Amino acid sequence: MRTLFFNLFLLCVVALSGQRREVHILSVNDVHATLEYMPQLAAIADSLRASYPSLLVLSAGDNRTGNPLNDKYNPSGYPMVAMMNQIGFDASAVGNHDFDMMSLPRLSQLSHFSYLCANLAMDSMLVDKDSLATEGLYVRPYKVFDVDGLRVGIIGTVQVGQLGRPDTHPDNLVGLRFEDPVECVRRHEWFSRQCDVTILLSHAGYRADTLAAHTCPWLDLIVGGHSHKQLDSSEVIGGIPITQNSHRLYHATHITIICDSGRVTDRQVEYIDVRNFSQKSTVVENMLHYYSESPFFRQVLATAATPFNNIYELGCMVCDALIECTEADVSLYNHRGIRMQYLPAGDITVRDVLTMDPFGNNACILVITGKELYNLIKSYSRMEINHFPHLGGFKAKVTVSKDNPETITDFKLFAIDGSPLKMKRTYRVVTNSYVSAASRAFGISKRIGLNSETADMIMDFLKRRGTVDYQGVNRIVFQ
């Protein structure tokens, strides 16, 4: 009798191990606190969960920064976390902007999901009383989820730039150190041997994801972010599907992983239009109304006589605002420090400015020569179009590579009257504290911190002007 029961047990085990089973995942990336479309995302999650109760909901990072309703809340970033909790997220990569405002420790304590980042470590030699490392930062390198008996392992990574850290204000990263994300993933092959399915949840960018796919064949799937690159369902590198959406909840991804006898046999990817989804979650929509009530954000500061049609027109206005408020000679603003591409004609509100400039950076003055200014721009821009800064009080002619239109081969600086910028003259250059902190690495030592946020200066500028018109204004000529 004992032998009979044992044989029946073995038959059950074999039968279960041979079952065809599926893992269903709903993923987003680079949402940047686009709260207004979270009710649609919640409805998508509810719809999928009705068919697939074990649905995993994942974010590939940069959940925050870009919406003042979220970023100016106390604690900063909580409305987004509250909605993610309601939707039932299981895990999030840590994006570079998730470090903004130094609120990640508190948010990690309030989140009902796990933050995953294997290439982050806390350096006890660098910890001080104001660092994230001493504030209860709950981040783990990986996590294994039980999905209907399958062990689904997820490893998280964050982007690391040329300076050896994620692209956020360096003061946000005191006490933390970072490893190259791909090298880090390579060292985790052992982890895949403990899992039926192994997923890389990456905020390292598309290039890093493709390199990981080529060098880590034991991965079953890469859910990516950071590059804001809309991929399609055919994106497979080295046999590994890579998914990524653009940003701000234009799309989400439904991924189906099919396993047979404990092995991954197929993966299917479907991109879902979030903004045009026909249903909304009533609960999350009520949460949105609650967080949107403040009249402060609706205050009108000025009128745009014509629309701002691109980031360069907005950059010119921001740089002019900083010069007018500080009486500096010229101004410099990091290209990606402006988080808006278009602003229509009509009222410009507090919310518009805080969406345009959401980081809470202070203004700073650099006292440097024209030659040092040139070298700072050259180093800081990485000679790439998407990193070339916005300018105020002077202009630039930029030569672009014929072979690679994203690469700069040369640039020249000019005064507003068209004469060459004087290389030996000393200039007072107003910028933000992010650029100022980064300038240390490029040998700039004379910096004067101002106790005023750049967003406040922009708002003061708009109030004084009443009406602004920057249509067609551009101080950078690409040739």
Side-chain angles (χ1 to χ4, degrees):
M1 182 65 71
R2 186 175 299 173
T3 302
L4 176 61
F5 280 127
F6 181 71
N7 288 337
L8 288 172
F9 172 75
L10 286 179
L11 285 172
C12 290
V13 170
V14 170
L16 286 171
S17 64
Q19 284 181 349
R20 181 184 184 275
R21 286 180 282 181
E22 296 181 353
V23 177
H24 289 269
I25 298 166
L26 176 65
S27 70
V28 294
N29 59 274
D30 300 277
V31 174
H32 288 291
T34 308
L35 304 181
E36 56 268 36
Y37 293 105
M38 290 295 277
Q40 287 92 326
L41 180 66
I44 292 169
D46 291 342
S47 176
L48 288 172
R49 201 174 275 122
S51 299
Y52 315 112
S54 299
L55 177 75
L56 288 176
V57 185
L58 307 177
S59 168
D62 272 7
N63 303 317
R64 58 157 304 140
T65 301
N67 185 342
L69 299 179
N70 182 71
D71 302 334
K72 294 297 182 180
Y73 198 84
N74 185 17
S76 178
Y78 179 69
M80 185 65 189
V81 165
M83 291 185 182
M84 291 174 73
N85 287 342
Q86 177 62 35
I87 290 171
F89 273 74
D90 295 284
S92 174
V94 179
N96 54 301
H97 286 298
D98 292 317
F99 292 104
D100 291 346
M101 307 290 190
M102 293 188 69
S103 62
L104 183 57
R106 182 65 178 138
L107 295 182
S108 69
Q109 297 163 22
L110 295 170
S111 299
H112 301 166
F113 51 91
S114 299
Y115 290 89
L116 306 180
C117 191
N119 62 323
L120 176 155
M122 298 183 189
D123 192 337
S124 60
M125 299 297 291
L126 295 177
V127 170
D128 66 28
K129 64 182 178 63
D130 295 321
S131 73
L132 292 184
T134 61
E135 296 295 326
L137 178 59
Y138 296 146
V139 176
R140 55 198 302 175
Y142 46 77
K143 186 173 181 178
V144 178
F145 294 87
D146 185 332
V147 180
D148 296 332
L150 288 172
R151 291 175 57 83
V152 179
I154 303 178
I155 307 169
T157 56
V158 67
Q159 167 264 354
V160 175
Q162 292 181 332
L163 299 177
R165 56 172 174 77
D167 291 340
T168 183
H169 196 297
D171 290 351
N172 295 332
L173 304 173
V174 175
L176 306 178
R177 53 189 170 85
F178 299 86
E179 180 185 0
D180 177 83
V182 178
E183 290 299 321
C184 175
V185 174
R186 285 173 180 160
R187 291 191 294 97
H188 283 79
E189 183 175 1
W190 62 270
F191 179 67
S192 68
R193 292 192 288 271
Q194 300 182 8
C195 305
D196 299 305
V197 178
T198 307
I199 298 169
L200 174 59
L201 187 59
S202 163
H203 194 83
Y206 179 72
R207 290 181 184 177
D209 292 346
T210 57
L211 183 57
H214 282 302
T215 57
C216 303
W218 42 269
L219 290 170
D220 295 306
L221 171 71
I222 298 175
V223 177
H226 182 64
S227 301
H228 297 189
K229 185 178 180 68
Q230 185 61 57
L231 302 180
D232 59 39
S233 58
S234 64
E235 192 75 19
V236 179
I237 305 294
I240 301 171
I242 300 177
T243 71
Q244 184 173 165
N245 293 295
S246 55
H247 67 321
R248 296 187 181 277
L249 283 184
Y250 282 96
H251 294 87
T253 313
H254 174 211
I255 306 155
T256 304
I257 300 175
I258 300 171
C259 296
D260 200 344
S261 301
R263 293 177 57 252
V264 174
T265 57
D266 194 13
R267 289 142 298 192
Q268 300 167 2
V269 175
E270 172 195 9
Y271 289 99
I272 302 170
D273 185 339
V274 176
R275 296 191 172 200
N276 292 312
F277 196 72
S278 60
Q279 301 173 28
K280 297 180 181 180
S281 162
T282 302
V283 173
V284 177
E285 192 165 33
N286 288 337
M287 295 173 73
L288 174 62
H289 292 323
Y290 173 79
Y291 292 122
S292 303
E293 282 181 350
S294 173
F296 168 73
F297 298 110
R298 297 195 292 270
Q299 292 181 65
V300 176
L301 303 168
T303 300
T306 57
F308 290 81
N309 288 312
N310 55 62
I311 195 172
Y312 296 103
E313 292 175 359
L314 289 162
C316 288
M317 183 191 73
V318 168
C319 287
D320 288 352
L322 298 191
I323 291 175
E324 184 171 302
C325 291
T326 61
E327 298 183 347
D329 301 310
V330 296
S331 58
L332 194 70
Y333 213 86
N334 54 311
H335 182 82
R336 294 181 177 178
I338 295 174
R339 307 301 287 188
M340 189 180 275
Q341 297 285 337
Y342 172 80
L343 185 65
D347 292 344
I348 302 176
T349 64
V350 170
R351 180 173 181 173
D352 291 328
V353 172
L354 294 176
T355 302
M356 185 189 314
D357 182 17
F359 299 107
N361 288 321
N362 283 345
C364 295
I365 298 285
L366 308 179
V367 183
I368 55 179
T369 64
K371 182 64 174 176
E372 289 173 319
L373 176 59
Y374 178 89
N375 290 335
L376 173 61
I377 294 173
K378 183 176 182 180
S379 300
Y380 187 80
S381 70
R382 312 173 196 176
M383 297 299 277
E384 296 176 0
I385 284 179
N386 288 334
H387 285 92
F388 199 87
H390 304 284
L391 311 177
F394 68 119
K395 302 185 293 187
K397 288 184 179 179
V398 178
T399 303
V400 178
S401 169
K402 294 180 181 178
D403 298 324
N404 184 355
E406 300 297 317
T407 300
I408 296 170
T409 58
D410 189 26
F411 68 92
K412 291 180 170 57
L413 304 180
F414 299 88
I416 291 297
D417 64 8
S419 62
L421 196 72
K422 296 177 180 178
M423 293 292 104
K424 294 183 179 180
R425 176 186 162 183
T426 298
Y427 294 88
R428 284 169 49 87
V429 182
V430 61
T431 186
N432 59 43
S433 51
Y434 178 82
V435 174
S436 175
S439 71
R440 300 170 194 163
F442 308 128
I444 305 298
S445 58
K446 192 166 183 179
R447 298 182 302 275
I448 304 169
L450 304 177
N451 194 28
S452 296
E453 289 192 9
T454 53
D456 289 336
M457 291 185 175
I458 298 167
M459 286 190 271
D460 289 343
F461 171 82
L462 289 169
K463 288 177 184 177
R464 285 195 296 270
R465 291 295 179 97
T467 301
V468 291
D469 186 349
Y470 277 80
Q471 192 169 64
V473 178
N474 187 10
R475 297 175 189 137
I476 305 170
V477 177
F478 294 104
Q479 55 188 19

